[in-house]
Amino acid sequence: MIDFSAYLRRIGGAGDGPPSAESLRLLHRAHVERVPYECLEIWLDRPTSVDPAESAGRILRGRGGYCYHLNGAFSLLLQGLGYRVTRHFGGVQGNAERPAGVDGNHLVLTVSGLPTAENPGGGWLVDSGLGDALHEPLPLVEGVYRQGPFSYGLRPSEVAPGGWRFDHDPRGSFLGMDFGPESVEMTAFAGMHRHLSTSPDSGFVRVATVQRRDAAGVDILRGLVLTRVGDRENRLTVETPDDYFALLADVFGLTLDDVGPAGRAALWDRLVTAQEAWEASRS
């Protein structure tokens, strides 16, 4: 079990009323603004699981995670607040060179039973684990949706019959995401999580990524390069470990209180080595 009151405090106390489309919107916004998308546990050599309660505990201790952690924990919170939540098998398509598919590299949530005038069916795409994408839920109605400076598309999936396709903004870090209609258990993601957290081919293993979405844009830290996309466009390279850990705390709310001096030094060394290898590959 998790402490739902503490979880709500962690995300600013928003949306703690009875289930409604507006409360769901407030909860989603608060979650993506205060709980960063990040894979630093991999770079700290601290294995994680897809267990939602474990993920929620880590969030309560001031950390974030990627889709299995963020959406897994968020699904528990929503269920605890009385929402009808379904977990789905999804697949993120990084670019046009890779075919669209649903291979379980992404956990998707939908919430049902919350009709509005614009969404009489009452179904919503809820996704706090897409990094630089959704700020608010999307109605499960085909169309184009504007959120801050970004435009998203939602349409029936061409690779998952009965499912949906999310098309990212052209400035986003991936092309789109498909998900199937079936409900799945968290254990269905264990194998892909193991691959994403350990394989040299995994983007999480190759690049230490941290992202935080807000109403006006997104902050993205890849390795030692911080980028702002949205209301303004800028980029800087972090030069010192003090600057790196200060940036994590100030921009992303990651104080890493549970990481001692030796762990921080080891993380910095790995980041510098990866940055140097990336720069050498481009020369």
Side-chain angles (χ1 to χ4, degrees):
M1 297 296 294
I2 65 172
D3 186 336
F4 294 113
S5 296
Y7 202 144
L8 287 171
R9 289 194 299 272
R10 169 76 166 88
I11 62 173
D16 60 347
S20 69
E22 177 61 17
S23 291
L24 179 65
R25 184 182 71 86
L26 293 175
L27 285 164
H28 196 290
R29 288 172 60 112
H31 206 282
V32 298
E33 289 178 3
R34 292 174 173 82
V35 184
Y37 179 98
E38 51 109 344
C39 63
L40 293 181
E41 294 291 69
I42 294 171
W43 287 71
L44 291 165
D45 290 323
R46 303 199 301 199
T48 61
S49 77
V50 298
D51 175 42
E54 178 189 293
S55 300
R58 194 162 48 255
I59 288 172
L60 291 181
R61 294 192 295 273
R63 293 296 302 280
Y66 51 93
C67 66
Y68 306 136
H69 311 117
L70 299 176
N71 282 339
F74 196 31
S75 69
L76 285 189
L77 175 64
L78 292 174
Q79 288 170 341
L81 295 174
Y83 289 87
R84 290 161 50 186
V85 183
T86 302
R87 301 182 181 119
H88 303 265
F89 227 50
V92 169
Q93 182 184 15
N95 54 60
E97 296 176 358
R98 299 183 60 183
V102 179
D103 62 0
N105 71 3
H106 187 65
L107 161 64
V108 183
L109 305 180
T110 59
V111 168
S112 59
L114 299 177
T116 65
E118 298 78 17
N119 182 16
W124 300 85
L125 169 61
V126 175
D127 207 316
S128 64
L130 274 175
D132 65 349
L134 292 185
H135 187 229
E136 300 179 356
L138 288 183
L140 287 176
V141 176
E142 184 173 3
V144 176
Y145 299 91
R146 188 82 178 175
Q147 292 190 358
F150 305 123
S151 290
Y152 307 126
L154 196 63
R155 54 188 169 91
S157 173
E158 298 176 1
V159 296
W164 291 89
R165 165 74 175 195
F166 167 81
D167 292 309
H168 203 349
D169 186 272
R171 289 174 289 174
S173 63
F174 60 93
L175 188 62
M177 181 272 294
D178 292 84
F179 66 95
E182 300 85 3
S183 172
V184 297
E185 299 296 329
M186 285 301 302
T187 52
F189 300 96
M192 183 58 77
H193 170 60
R194 186 162 48 252
H195 169 79
L196 292 175
S197 59
T198 62
S199 171
D201 297 327
S202 167
F204 295 136
V205 174
R206 291 185 284 107
V207 182
T209 300
V210 186
Q211 300 178 339
R212 186 192 65 84
R213 182 73 160 84
D214 58 46
V218 59
D219 296 301
I220 304 169
L221 180 62
R222 297 188 192 281
L224 300 179
V225 179
L226 175 68
T227 307
R228 174 70 182 184
V229 181
D231 53 343
R232 60 188 186 279
E233 308 287 327
N234 55 41
R235 174 187 175 99
L236 66 87
T237 299
V238 184
E239 302 290 347
T240 71
D242 287 345
D243 287 344
Y244 179 80
F245 291 109
L247 186 152
L248 282 182
D250 295 343
V251 177
F252 300 98
L254 292 172
T255 58
L256 300 190
D257 292 336
D258 60 341
V259 181
R264 289 177 179 238
L267 173 58
W268 176 254
D269 287 344
R270 293 186 69 180
L271 291 168
V272 170
T273 299
Q275 183 75 16
E276 291 174 345
W278 177 77
E279 292 173 352
S281 70
R282 291 167 57 88
S283 61

PDB file of all heavy atoms in Angstrom, residues 213-246:
ATOM      1  N   ARG A 213       8.225  18.421 -17.996  1.00  0.00           N
ATOM      2  CA  ARG A 213       7.262  19.172 -18.804  1.00  0.00           C
ATOM      3  C   ARG A 213       6.574  20.219 -17.943  1.00  0.00           C
ATOM      4  O   ARG A 213       6.299  19.990 -16.752  1.00  0.00           O
ATOM      5  CB  ARG A 213       6.227  18.191 -19.365  1.00  0.00           C
ATOM      6  CG  ARG A 213       5.175  18.800 -20.273  1.00  0.00           C
ATOM      7  CD  ARG A 213       5.737  19.167 -21.637  1.00  0.00           C
ATOM      8  NE  ARG A 213       4.662  19.286 -22.613  1.00  0.00           N
ATOM      9  CZ  ARG A 213       3.917  20.382 -22.813  1.00  0.00           C
ATOM     10  NH1 ARG A 213       4.133  21.471 -22.117  1.00  0.00           N
ATOM     11  NH2 ARG A 213       2.952  20.371 -23.721  1.00  0.00           N
ATOM     12  N   ASP A 214       6.295  21.387 -18.502  1.00  0.00           N
ATOM     13  CA  ASP A 214       5.454  22.384 -17.852  1.00  0.00           C
ATOM     14  C   ASP A 214       4.529  22.983 -18.893  1.00  0.00           C
ATOM     15  O   ASP A 214       4.537  22.584 -20.063  1.00  0.00           O
ATOM     16  CB  ASP A 214       6.283  23.442 -17.127  1.00  0.00           C
ATOM     17  CG  ASP A 214       7.252  24.187 -18.043  1.00  0.00           C
ATOM     18  OD1 ASP A 214       6.827  24.608 -19.141  1.00  0.00           O
ATOM     19  OD2 ASP A 214       8.425  24.348 -17.666  1.00  0.00           O
ATOM     20  N   ALA A 215       3.718  23.963 -18.501  1.00  0.00           N
ATOM     21  CA  ALA A 215       2.707  24.496 -19.404  1.00  0.00           C
ATOM     22  C   ALA A 215       3.306  25.191 -20.616  1.00  0.00           C
ATOM     23  O   ALA A 215       2.679  25.247 -21.681  1.00  0.00           O
ATOM     24  CB  ALA A 215       1.793  25.462 -18.652  1.00  0.00           C
ATOM     25  N   ALA A 216       4.522  25.708 -20.487  1.00  0.00           N
ATOM     26  CA  ALA A 216       5.114  26.511 -21.557  1.00  0.00           C
ATOM     27  C   ALA A 216       6.146  25.764 -22.381  1.00  0.00           C
ATOM     28  O   ALA A 216       6.625  26.296 -23.386  1.00  0.00           O
ATOM     29  CB  ALA A 216       5.745  27.779 -20.968  1.00  0.00           C
ATOM     30  N   GLY A 217       6.530  24.566 -21.972  1.00  0.00           N
ATOM     31  CA  GLY A 217       7.547  23.838 -22.731  1.00  0.00           C
ATOM     32  C   GLY A 217       8.100  22.670 -21.944  1.00  0.00           C
ATOM     33  O   GLY A 217       7.434  22.111 -21.070  1.00  0.00           O
ATOM     34  N   VAL A 218       9.346  22.312 -22.249  1.00  0.00           N
ATOM     35  CA  VAL A 218       9.973  21.167 -21.599  1.00  0.00           C
ATOM     36  C   VAL A 218      11.462  21.432 -21.425  1.00  0.00           C
ATOM     37  O   VAL A 218      12.117  22.016 -22.294  1.00  0.00           O
ATOM     38  CB  VAL A 218       9.735  19.873 -22.424  1.00  0.00           C
ATOM     39  CG1 VAL A 218      10.297  20.005 -23.830  1.00  0.00           C
ATOM     40  CG2 VAL A 218      10.317  18.658 -21.723  1.00  0.00           C
ATOM     41  N   ASP A 219      11.992  21.038 -20.266  1.00  0.00           N
ATOM     42  CA  ASP A 219      13.431  21.056 -20.006  1.00  0.00           C
ATOM     43  C   ASP A 219      13.956  19.650 -20.214  1.00  0.00           C
ATOM     44  O   ASP A 219      13.390  18.678 -19.683  1.00  0.00           O
ATOM     45  CB  ASP A 219      13.721  21.506 -18.572  1.00  0.00           C
ATOM     46  CG  ASP A 219      13.281  22.936 -18.324  1.00  0.00           C
ATOM     47  OD1 ASP A 219      13.784  23.832 -19.027  1.00  0.00           O
ATOM     48  OD2 ASP A 219      12.431  23.149 -17.438  1.00  0.00           O
ATOM     49  N   ILE A 220      15.048  19.524 -20.973  1.00  0.00           N
ATOM     50  CA  ILE A 220      15.604  18.225 -21.323  1.00  0.00           C
ATOM     51  C   ILE A 220      17.095  18.224 -21.024  1.00  0.00           C
ATOM     52  O   ILE A 220      17.837  19.078 -21.519  1.00  0.00           O
ATOM     53  CB  ILE A 220      15.390  17.913 -22.815  1.00  0.00           C
ATOM     54  CG1 ILE A 220      13.906  17.989 -23.176  1.00  0.00           C
ATOM     55  CG2 ILE A 220      15.972  16.552 -23.175  1.00  0.00           C
ATOM     56  CD1 ILE A 220      13.643  17.946 -24.671  1.00  0.00           C
ATOM     57  N   LEU A 221      17.532  17.278 -20.203  1.00  0.00           N
ATOM     58  CA  LEU A 221      18.949  17.094 -19.913  1.00  0.00           C
ATOM     59  C   LEU A 221      19.364  15.743 -20.461  1.00  0.00           C
ATOM     60  O   LEU A 221      18.918  14.700 -19.981  1.00  0.00           O
ATOM     61  CB  LEU A 221      19.196  17.156 -18.406  1.00  0.00           C
ATOM     62  CG  LEU A 221      20.639  16.989 -17.931  1.00  0.00           C
ATOM     63  CD1 LEU A 221      21.535  18.105 -18.459  1.00  0.00           C
ATOM     64  CD2 LEU A 221      20.693  16.939 -16.404  1.00  0.00           C
ATOM     65  N   ARG A 222      20.214  15.752 -21.494  1.00  0.00           N
ATOM     66  CA  ARG A 222      20.744  14.514 -22.061  1.00  0.00           C
ATOM     67  C   ARG A 222      22.245  14.512 -21.828  1.00  0.00           C
ATOM     68  O   ARG A 222      22.961  15.333 -22.399  1.00  0.00           O
ATOM     69  CB  ARG A 222      20.439  14.425 -23.559  1.00  0.00           C
ATOM     70  CG  ARG A 222      18.964  14.375 -23.892  1.00  0.00           C
ATOM     71  CD  ARG A 222      18.765  14.089 -25.384  1.00  0.00           C
ATOM     72  NE  ARG A 222      17.401  14.297 -25.805  1.00  0.00           N
ATOM     73  CZ  ARG A 222      16.405  13.440 -25.606  1.00  0.00           C
ATOM     74  NH1 ARG A 222      16.646  12.297 -24.981  1.00  0.00           N
ATOM     75  NH2 ARG A 222      15.183  13.704 -26.031  1.00  0.00           N
ATOM     76  N   GLY A 223      22.680  13.611 -20.973  1.00  0.00           N
ATOM     77  CA  GLY A 223      24.083  13.630 -20.602  1.00  0.00           C
ATOM     78  C   GLY A 223      24.410  14.923 -19.892  1.00  0.00           C
ATOM     79  O   GLY A 223      23.851  15.216 -18.828  1.00  0.00           O
ATOM     80  N   LEU A 224      25.280  15.730 -20.482  1.00  0.00           N
ATOM     81  CA  LEU A 224      25.674  17.001 -19.886  1.00  0.00           C
ATOM     82  C   LEU A 224      25.128  18.199 -20.658  1.00  0.00           C
ATOM     83  O   LEU A 224      25.580  19.329 -20.435  1.00  0.00           O
ATOM     84  CB  LEU A 224      27.209  17.087 -19.822  1.00  0.00           C
ATOM     85  CG  LEU A 224      27.895  15.993 -18.989  1.00  0.00           C
ATOM     86  CD1 LEU A 224      29.405  16.170 -19.014  1.00  0.00           C
ATOM     87  CD2 LEU A 224      27.374  15.996 -17.555  1.00  0.00           C
ATOM     88  N   VAL A 225      24.150  17.979 -21.530  1.00  0.00           N
ATOM     89  CA  VAL A 225      23.599  19.060 -22.347  1.00  0.00           C
ATOM     90  C   VAL A 225      22.156  19.333 -21.924  1.00  0.00           C
ATOM     91  O   VAL A 225      21.289  18.451 -22.003  1.00  0.00           O
ATOM     92  CB  VAL A 225      23.660  18.718 -23.842  1.00  0.00           C
ATOM     93  CG1 VAL A 225      23.045  19.847 -24.667  1.00  0.00           C
ATOM     94  CG2 VAL A 225      25.096  18.465 -24.276  1.00  0.00           C
ATOM     95  N   LEU A 226      21.910  20.568 -21.477  1.00  0.00           N
ATOM     96  CA  LEU A 226      20.571  20.996 -21.074  1.00  0.00           C
ATOM     97  C   LEU A 226      19.949  21.803 -22.200  1.00  0.00           C
ATOM     98  O   LEU A 226      20.553  22.745 -22.718  1.00  0.00           O
ATOM     99  CB  LEU A 226      20.638  21.855 -19.810  1.00  0.00           C
ATOM    100  CG  LEU A 226      19.305  22.471 -19.344  1.00  0.00           C
ATOM    101  CD1 LEU A 226      18.352  21.383 -18.867  1.00  0.00           C
ATOM    102  CD2 LEU A 226      19.548  23.495 -18.239  1.00  0.00           C
ATOM    103  N   THR A 227      18.721  21.436 -22.587  1.00  0.00           N
ATOM    104  CA  THR A 227      18.003  22.113 -23.657  1.00  0.00           C
ATOM    105  C   THR A 227      16.623  22.520 -23.159  1.00  0.00           C
ATOM    106  O   THR A 227      15.971  21.764 -22.435  1.00  0.00           O
ATOM    107  CB  THR A 227      17.843  21.196 -24.883  1.00  0.00           C
ATOM    108  OG1 THR A 227      19.116  20.683 -25.272  1.00  0.00           O
ATOM    109  CG2 THR A 227      17.230  21.942 -26.050  1.00  0.00           C
ATOM    110  N   ARG A 228      16.199  23.690 -23.550  1.00  0.00           N
ATOM    111  CA  ARG A 228      14.832  24.142 -23.305  1.00  0.00           C
ATOM    112  C   ARG A 228      14.117  24.223 -24.641  1.00  0.00           C
ATOM    113  O   ARG A 228      14.618  24.839 -25.595  1.00  0.00           O
ATOM    114  CB  ARG A 228      14.821  25.517 -22.636  1.00  0.00           C
ATOM    115  CG  ARG A 228      13.427  26.144 -22.475  1.00  0.00           C
ATOM    116  CD  ARG A 228      12.591  25.405 -21.450  1.00  0.00           C
ATOM    117  NE  ARG A 228      11.245  25.992 -21.353  1.00  0.00           N
ATOM    118  CZ  ARG A 228      10.325  25.590 -20.476  1.00  0.00           C
ATOM    119  NH1 ARG A 228      10.610  24.626 -19.618  1.00  0.00           N
ATOM    120  NH2 ARG A 228       9.138  26.144 -20.446  1.00  0.00           N
ATOM    121  N   VAL A 229      12.949  23.596 -24.738  1.00  0.00           N
ATOM    122  CA  VAL A 229      12.161  23.590 -25.965  1.00  0.00           C
ATOM    123  C   VAL A 229      10.757  24.087 -25.633  1.00  0.00           C
ATOM    124  O   VAL A 229      10.155  23.636 -24.661  1.00  0.00           O
ATOM    125  CB  VAL A 229      12.075  22.179 -26.581  1.00  0.00           C
ATOM    126  CG1 VAL A 229      11.260  22.194 -27.869  1.00  0.00           C
ATOM    127  CG2 VAL A 229      13.466  21.609 -26.833  1.00  0.00           C
ATOM    128  N   GLY A 230      10.245  25.005 -26.438  1.00  0.00           N
ATOM    129  CA  GLY A 230       8.884  25.481 -26.235  1.00  0.00           C
ATOM    130  C   GLY A 230       8.786  26.976 -26.307  1.00  0.00           C
ATOM    131  O   GLY A 230       8.926  27.577 -27.373  1.00  0.00           O
ATOM    132  N   ASP A 231       8.568  27.615 -25.140  1.00  0.00           N
ATOM    133  CA  ASP A 231       8.411  29.063 -25.104  1.00  0.00           C
ATOM    134  C   ASP A 231       9.697  29.784 -25.489  1.00  0.00           C
ATOM    135  O   ASP A 231       9.683  30.924 -25.935  1.00  0.00           O
ATOM    136  CB  ASP A 231       7.950  29.510 -23.718  1.00  0.00           C
ATOM    137  CG  ASP A 231       8.844  28.983 -22.588  1.00  0.00           C
ATOM    138  OD1 ASP A 231       9.617  28.033 -22.829  1.00  0.00           O
ATOM    139  OD2 ASP A 231       8.756  29.515 -21.471  1.00  0.00           O
ATOM    140  N   ARG A 232      10.819  29.110 -25.305  1.00  0.00           N
ATOM    141  CA  ARG A 232      12.106  29.642 -25.742  1.00  0.00           C
ATOM    142  C   ARG A 232      12.980  28.458 -26.108  1.00  0.00           C
ATOM    143  O   ARG A 232      12.721  27.330 -25.710  1.00  0.00           O
ATOM    144  CB  ARG A 232      12.774  30.476 -24.646  1.00  0.00           C
ATOM    145  CG  ARG A 232      13.062  29.700 -23.364  1.00  0.00           C
ATOM    146  CD  ARG A 232      13.532  30.593 -22.234  1.00  0.00           C
ATOM    147  NE  ARG A 232      13.929  29.823 -21.069  1.00  0.00           N
ATOM    148  CZ  ARG A 232      13.096  29.326 -20.169  1.00  0.00           C
ATOM    149  NH1 ARG A 232      11.794  29.518 -20.310  1.00  0.00           N
ATOM    150  NH2 ARG A 232      13.544  28.633 -19.130  1.00  0.00           N
ATOM    151  N   GLU A 233      14.000  28.720 -26.863  1.00  0.00           N
ATOM    152  CA  GLU A 233      14.894  27.666 -27.308  1.00  0.00           C
ATOM    153  C   GLU A 233      16.313  28.033 -26.870  1.00  0.00           C
ATOM    154  O   GLU A 233      16.854  29.048 -27.310  1.00  0.00           O
ATOM    155  CB  GLU A 233      14.846  27.516 -28.838  1.00  0.00           C
ATOM    156  CG  GLU A 233      13.433  27.355 -29.414  1.00  0.00           C
ATOM    157  CD  GLU A 233      12.817  25.997 -29.140  1.00  0.00           C
ATOM    158  OE1 GLU A 233      13.567  25.000 -29.100  1.00  0.00           O
ATOM    159  OE2 GLU A 233      11.589  25.935 -28.962  1.00  0.00           O
ATOM    160  N   ASN A 234      16.890  27.260 -25.971  1.00  0.00           N
ATOM    161  CA  ASN A 234      18.289  27.489 -25.614  1.00  0.00           C
ATOM    162  C   ASN A 234      18.949  26.170 -25.243  1.00  0.00           C
ATOM    163  O   ASN A 234      18.290  25.155 -25.024  1.00  0.00           O
ATOM    164  CB  ASN A 234      18.438  28.531 -24.492  1.00  0.00           C
ATOM    165  CG  ASN A 234      17.648  28.179 -23.255  1.00  0.00           C
ATOM    166  OD1 ASN A 234      17.608  27.028 -22.836  1.00  0.00           O
ATOM    167  ND2 ASN A 234      17.008  29.172 -22.649  1.00  0.00           N
ATOM    168  N   ARG A 235      20.274  26.218 -25.167  1.00  0.00           N
ATOM    169  CA  ARG A 235      21.061  25.005 -24.963  1.00  0.00           C
ATOM    170  C   ARG A 235      22.362  25.379 -24.271  1.00  0.00           C
ATOM    171  O   ARG A 235      22.982  26.396 -24.581  1.00  0.00           O
ATOM    172  CB  ARG A 235      21.342  24.381 -26.335  1.00  0.00           C
ATOM    173  CG  ARG A 235      22.269  23.173 -26.372  1.00  0.00           C
ATOM    174  CD  ARG A 235      22.542  22.834 -27.831  1.00  0.00           C
ATOM    175  NE  ARG A 235      23.509  21.753 -27.979  1.00  0.00           N
ATOM    176  CZ  ARG A 235      23.190  20.499 -28.206  1.00  0.00           C
ATOM    177  NH1 ARG A 235      21.931  20.159 -28.319  1.00  0.00           N
ATOM    178  NH2 ARG A 235      24.123  19.571 -28.352  1.00  0.00           N
ATOM    179  N   LEU A 236      22.750  24.572 -23.291  1.00  0.00           N
ATOM    180  CA  LEU A 236      24.033  24.785 -22.628  1.00  0.00           C
ATOM    181  C   LEU A 236      24.633  23.446 -22.233  1.00  0.00           C
ATOM    182  O   LEU A 236      23.910  22.466 -22.034  1.00  0.00           O
ATOM    183  CB  LEU A 236      23.897  25.703 -21.409  1.00  0.00           C
ATOM    184  CG  LEU A 236      23.094  25.226 -20.195  1.00  0.00           C
ATOM    185  CD1 LEU A 236      23.971  24.429 -19.225  1.00  0.00           C
ATOM    186  CD2 LEU A 236      22.489  26.406 -19.455  1.00  0.00           C
ATOM    187  N   THR A 237      25.945  23.419 -22.126  1.00  0.00           N
ATOM    188  CA  THR A 237      26.663  22.220 -21.697  1.00  0.00           C
ATOM    189  C   THR A 237      27.179  22.428 -20.286  1.00  0.00           C
ATOM    190  O   THR A 237      27.807  23.454 -19.987  1.00  0.00           O
ATOM    191  CB  THR A 237      27.840  21.918 -22.644  1.00  0.00           C
ATOM    192  OG1 THR A 237      27.333  21.690 -23.962  1.00  0.00           O
ATOM    193  CG2 THR A 237      28.594  20.674 -22.183  1.00  0.00           C
ATOM    194  N   VAL A 238      26.901  21.480 -19.416  1.00  0.00           N
ATOM    195  CA  VAL A 238      27.333  21.560 -18.020  1.00  0.00           C
ATOM    196  C   VAL A 238      28.817  21.227 -17.938  1.00  0.00           C
ATOM    197  O   VAL A 238      29.272  20.229 -18.514  1.00  0.00           O
ATOM    198  CB  VAL A 238      26.512  20.594 -17.149  1.00  0.00           C
ATOM    199  CG1 VAL A 238      26.891  20.736 -15.686  1.00  0.00           C
ATOM    200  CG2 VAL A 238      25.013  20.830 -17.347  1.00  0.00           C
ATOM    201  N   GLU A 239      29.568  22.043 -17.216  1.00  0.00           N
ATOM    202  CA  GLU A 239      31.024  21.908 -17.199  1.00  0.00           C
ATOM    203  C   GLU A 239      31.586  21.280 -15.935  1.00  0.00           C
ATOM    204  O   GLU A 239      32.686  20.716 -15.954  1.00  0.00           O
ATOM    205  CB  GLU A 239      31.673  23.293 -17.400  1.00  0.00           C
ATOM    206  CG  GLU A 239      31.271  23.996 -18.682  1.00  0.00           C
ATOM    207  CD  GLU A 239      31.846  23.347 -19.923  1.00  0.00           C
ATOM    208  OE1 GLU A 239      32.767  22.495 -19.773  1.00  0.00           O
ATOM    209  OE2 GLU A 239      31.401  23.685 -21.031  1.00  0.00           O
ATOM    210  N   THR A 240      30.871  21.379 -14.817  1.00  0.00           N
ATOM    211  CA  THR A 240      31.426  20.899 -13.543  1.00  0.00           C
ATOM    212  C   THR A 240      30.406  20.036 -12.808  1.00  0.00           C
ATOM    213  O   THR A 240      29.188  20.193 -13.006  1.00  0.00           O
ATOM    214  CB  THR A 240      31.818  22.072 -12.630  1.00  0.00           C
ATOM    215  OG1 THR A 240      30.615  22.721 -12.149  1.00  0.00           O
ATOM    216  CG2 THR A 240      32.699  23.081 -13.366  1.00  0.00           C
ATOM    217  N   PRO A 241      30.869  19.156 -11.921  1.00  0.00           N
ATOM    218  CA  PRO A 241      29.914  18.346 -11.156  1.00  0.00           C
ATOM    219  C   PRO A 241      29.022  19.188 -10.250  1.00  0.00           C
ATOM    220  O   PRO A 241      27.842  18.874 -10.089  1.00  0.00           O
ATOM    221  CB  PRO A 241      30.814  17.387 -10.358  1.00  0.00           C
ATOM    222  CG  PRO A 241      32.169  17.987 -10.392  1.00  0.00           C
ATOM    223  CD  PRO A 241      32.269  18.751 -11.662  1.00  0.00           C
ATOM    224  N   ASP A 242      29.572  20.249  -9.666  1.00  0.00           N
ATOM    225  CA  ASP A 242      28.738  21.107  -8.822  1.00  0.00           C
ATOM    226  C   ASP A 242      27.588  21.703  -9.622  1.00  0.00           C
ATOM    227  O   ASP A 242      26.443  21.752  -9.152  1.00  0.00           O
ATOM    228  CB  ASP A 242      29.573  22.236  -8.208  1.00  0.00           C
ATOM    229  CG  ASP A 242      30.498  21.741  -7.098  1.00  0.00           C
ATOM    230  OD1 ASP A 242      30.291  20.601  -6.620  1.00  0.00           O
ATOM    231  OD2 ASP A 242      31.417  22.483  -6.718  1.00  0.00           O
ATOM    232  N   ASP A 243      27.893  22.155 -10.841  1.00  0.00           N
ATOM    233  CA  ASP A 243      26.838  22.717 -11.690  1.00  0.00           C
ATOM    234  C   ASP A 243      25.814  21.659 -12.074  1.00  0.00           C
ATOM    235  O   ASP A 243      24.610  21.934 -12.138  1.00  0.00           O
ATOM    236  CB  ASP A 243      27.446  23.322 -12.954  1.00  0.00           C
ATOM    237  CG  ASP A 243      28.185  24.616 -12.687  1.00  0.00           C
ATOM    238  OD1 ASP A 243      27.980  25.204 -11.602  1.00  0.00           O
ATOM    239  OD2 ASP A 243      28.972  25.039 -13.548  1.00  0.00           O
ATOM    240  N   TYR A 244      26.284  20.437 -12.327  1.00  0.00           N
ATOM    241  CA  TYR A 244      25.368  19.369 -12.745  1.00  0.00           C
ATOM    242  C   TYR A 244      24.369  19.050 -11.632  1.00  0.00           C
ATOM    243  O   TYR A 244      23.150  19.016 -11.873  1.00  0.00           O
ATOM    244  CB  TYR A 244      26.151  18.112 -13.117  1.00  0.00           C
ATOM    245  CG  TYR A 244      25.273  16.948 -13.527  1.00  0.00           C
ATOM    246  CD1 TYR A 244      24.735  16.877 -14.802  1.00  0.00           C
ATOM    247  CD2 TYR A 244      24.967  15.928 -12.624  1.00  0.00           C
ATOM    248  CE1 TYR A 244      23.914  15.827 -15.180  1.00  0.00           C
ATOM    249  CE2 TYR A 244      24.149  14.872 -13.002  1.00  0.00           C
ATOM    250  CZ  TYR A 244      23.628  14.824 -14.276  1.00  0.00           C
ATOM    251  OH  TYR A 244      22.812  13.778 -14.639  1.00  0.00           O
ATOM    252  N   PHE A 245      24.865  18.857 -10.419  1.00  0.00           N
ATOM    253  CA  PHE A 245      23.957  18.470  -9.338  1.00  0.00           C
ATOM    254  C   PHE A 245      23.081  19.644  -8.899  1.00  0.00           C
ATOM    255  O   PHE A 245      21.928  19.445  -8.488  1.00  0.00           O
ATOM    256  CB  PHE A 245      24.749  17.880  -8.179  1.00  0.00           C
ATOM    257  CG  PHE A 245      25.366  16.545  -8.512  1.00  0.00           C
ATOM    258  CD1 PHE A 245      26.733  16.410  -8.692  1.00  0.00           C
ATOM    259  CD2 PHE A 245      24.570  15.425  -8.703  1.00  0.00           C
ATOM    260  CE1 PHE A 245      27.296  15.191  -9.033  1.00  0.00           C
ATOM    261  CE2 PHE A 245      25.118  14.196  -9.046  1.00  0.00           C
ATOM    262  CZ  PHE A 245      26.487  14.081  -9.215  1.00  0.00           C
ATOM    263  N   ALA A 246      23.593  20.869  -9.033  1.00  0.00           N
ATOM    264  CA  ALA A 246      22.755  22.034  -8.748  1.00  0.00           C
ATOM    265  C   ALA A 246      21.644  22.155  -9.779  1.00  0.00           C
ATOM    266  O   ALA A 246      20.498  22.481  -9.448  1.00  0.00           O
ATOM    267  CB  ALA A 246      23.610  23.300  -8.725  1.00  0.00           C
TER     268      ALA A 246
END
